[in-house]
Amino acid sequence: MPKVTLHHTFHVRNTPGALQAHLSQPQSYVGLSPLVVAVRDVSTVDGETRYVSVERLRLLGLVRYESLVKVTLRSTPETVEGEVTAPGGVRLGYRFTLRERDGGTEVEDRLVVQSWNRTLLGRAARRAREAQLARAGVLAARLG
């Protein structure tokens, strides 16, 4: 399956623990990605949190559509990672690596986007990159 790997590293003026706690909560992802408007059906089993993310999209720029995306989330003191299964055969793996640095936290945001179709992969990777870059600003605004 074709894939694209995206990296972005940024700094937030808060502790790794504060970021880990925030990124480990499904509700924190509302607004963290510009498309995510709600989360529901949250459950935790064997150290994994599973939930459904509601993403609001526009089809052809006119019709508003809410896509239901399955998410699995795991965390350690140094990382938060997970997998996303979206409609249309798009898969996304993500990992935030959190390192104490310069009175705050260096966040390495890594995304791997996969799709069976290269055209769909290109669109999904563009949206993922936009969300990835926006996420840095949102986290800095929320947590320092």
Side-chain angles (χ1 to χ4, degrees):
M1 186 179 308
K3 68 180 178 180
V4 173
T5 302
L6 307 167
H7 294 273
H8 184 58
T9 301
F10 57 95
H11 189 267
V12 176
R13 292 186 178 157
N14 210 319
T15 65
L19 270 91
Q20 188 271 349
H22 187 72
L23 292 169
S24 295
Q25 298 300 315
Q27 296 78 7
S28 296
Y29 289 84
V30 174
L32 189 57
S33 168
L35 300 176
V36 178
V37 297
V39 296
R40 62 185 193 204
D41 304 331
V42 178
S43 66
T44 302
V45 177
D46 297 328
E48 290 187 338
T49 301
R50 295 179 183 176
Y51 63 96
V52 173
S53 175
V54 180
E55 293 187 353
R56 187 164 293 144
L57 308 169
R58 288 216 177 260
L59 301 176
L60 304 173
L62 302 171
V63 179
R64 191 165 56 183
Y65 171 74
E66 290 189 349
S67 178
L68 302 181
V69 177
K70 294 179 183 177
V71 181
T72 302
L73 177 66
R74 293 176 298 283
S75 65
T76 70
E78 299 83 27
T79 64
V80 178
E81 64 183 22
E83 293 87 34
V84 175
T85 304
V90 175
R91 305 282 185 264
L92 184 86
Y94 64 92
R95 181 181 186 109
F96 299 103
T97 302
L98 311 170
R99 293 182 190 91
E100 190 170 343
R101 184 154 304 167
D102 298 328
T105 303
E106 178 183 84
V107 180
E108 180 186 338
D109 182 346
R110 179 178 184 269
L111 297 170
V112 179
V113 185
Q114 296 181 315
S115 176
W116 58 275
N117 176 287
R118 288 200 183 276
T119 302
L120 186 57
L121 175 63
R123 274 191 240 146
R126 277 190 299 280
R127 284 197 176 166
R129 181 64 173 169
E130 290 168 5
Q132 184 181 49
L133 295 175
R135 191 165 30 251
V138 173
L139 279 172
R142 286 183 183 179
L143 297 174

